[in-house]
Amino acid sequence: MNTRPPCSASEAWPQFLHGRPVLVYPGATGLAEEGWTSVFELPDAPVPSRQWFAVLEDIEFLLVQRPGGRHWFAGPLQSTREWRRAARSFRSVLQLTGPFTSPGEFAASAAAGEVRAVTVPFVLVGRLW
């Protein structure tokens, strides 16, 4: 299990956590029933949830579906080539959320153990570069 917070106080949103690509969603709550767990309880090699799914189309548009096929997020994603390569390599991304609403609140929330995570299967389609 991980014992380090996702990022240091000098970082804003983490792009990677232990080498894995990360998507950060501020302010989500009530997620235990959908497979979310404490970021500190994640195994070093987390298994992607079968309930979640994410697709990045033409390196710009991200669609994330939660259990039951409902949309969690649908919109633009600014990502680096390094991030996309890691997502393709792992075939999954870590989603992080918690009671923070800005990058300035993220590190304190992570240090307090309030950040939740779920590993999501991930596919890139269309124009990849």
Side-chain angles (χ1 to χ4, degrees), residues 21 30 33 35 39 56 60 64 74 106 117 120 126:
E33 70 280 359
V39 73
L56 181 61
E60 314 177 322
V64 179
F106 182 84
V120 178

Side-chain angles (χ1 to χ4, degrees), residues 45-123:
V47 176
S49 169
R50 293 182 183 158
Q51 300 175 18
W52 288 82
F53 189 75
V55 176
L56 181 61
E57 296 180 27
D58 294 329
I59 70 171
E60 314 177 322
F61 186 80
L62 177 66
L63 175 63
V64 179
Q65 288 186 332
R66 67 194 313 163
R70 297 171 293 150
H71 290 278
W72 171 258
F73 179 85
L77 175 70
Q78 294 182 352
S79 61
T80 64
R81 183 179 224 177
E82 179 184 25
W83 188 94
R84 292 187 306 274
R85 283 184 174 168
R88 185 171 53 198
S89 174
F90 284 106
R91 296 184 182 155
S92 65
V93 295
L94 291 174
Q95 291 190 145
L96 303 180
T97 193
F100 50 86
T101 57
S102 70
E105 297 171 350
F106 182 84
S109 194
E114 299 171 330
V115 173
R116 299 288 174 252
V118 66
T119 305
V120 178
F122 190 82
V123 175

